[in-house]
């Protein structure tokens, strides 16, 4: 019997905190860009040598870049 591997995105697992590499993959950007985004959003938590990023804060911060100008979409 062949078992199908269930594919889930990290976002659907309801993760709240991720490492830089996971977050970069989730948001389809480079690790350096995600690191800068997390720092600008002040979404980083440092536990000894480990840095975790709060995705709730990242999502809220990204909403500030939402383009609402109709001219942009023409």
């Amino acid at each position: 019997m062949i078992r199908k591997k269930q594919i889930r995105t990290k976002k659907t697992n309801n993760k709240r905190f991720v490492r830089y590499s996971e977050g970069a993959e989730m948001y389809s950007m480079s690790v350096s860009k995600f690191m800068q985004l997390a720092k600008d959003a002040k979404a980083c938590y440092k536990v000894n040598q480990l840095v975790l990023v709060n995705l709730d804060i990242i999502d809220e911060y990204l909403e500030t870049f939402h383009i609402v100008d109709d001219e942009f979409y023409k």
Side-chain angles (χ1 to χ4, degrees):
M1 182 170 142
I2 300 173
R3 292 167 72 186
K4 289 185 181 179
K5 185 176 180 181
Q6 188 176 14
I7 300 172
R8 295 183 182 178
T9 63
K10 290 178 174 62
K11 201 71 167 158
T12 59
N13 282 339
N14 295 323
K15 275 190 168 182
R16 185 171 167 206
F17 294 95
V18 295
R19 293 181 181 205
Y20 288 134
S21 58
E22 287 179 288
E25 185 178 326
M26 290 171 64
Y27 288 89
S28 302
M29 60 179 71
S30 69
V31 174
S32 61
K33 185 56 129 176
F34 185 77
M35 286 173 70
Q36 190 59 54
L37 182 74
K39 289 175 184 178
D40 291 346
K42 296 184 175 36
C44 302
Y45 294 76
K46 190 165 184 182
V47 182
N48 296 325
Q49 296 294 313
L50 174 67
V51 176
L52 296 173
V53 179
N54 185 325
L55 295 180
D56 297 332
I57 296 173
I58 290 289
D59 288 340
E60 190 176 317
Y61 182 69
L62 281 174
E63 284 299 319
T64 66
F65 295 98
H66 182 197
I67 300 170
V68 293
D69 184 16
D70 290 337
E71 290 297 315
F72 178 81
Y73 295 105
K74 289 186 179 179

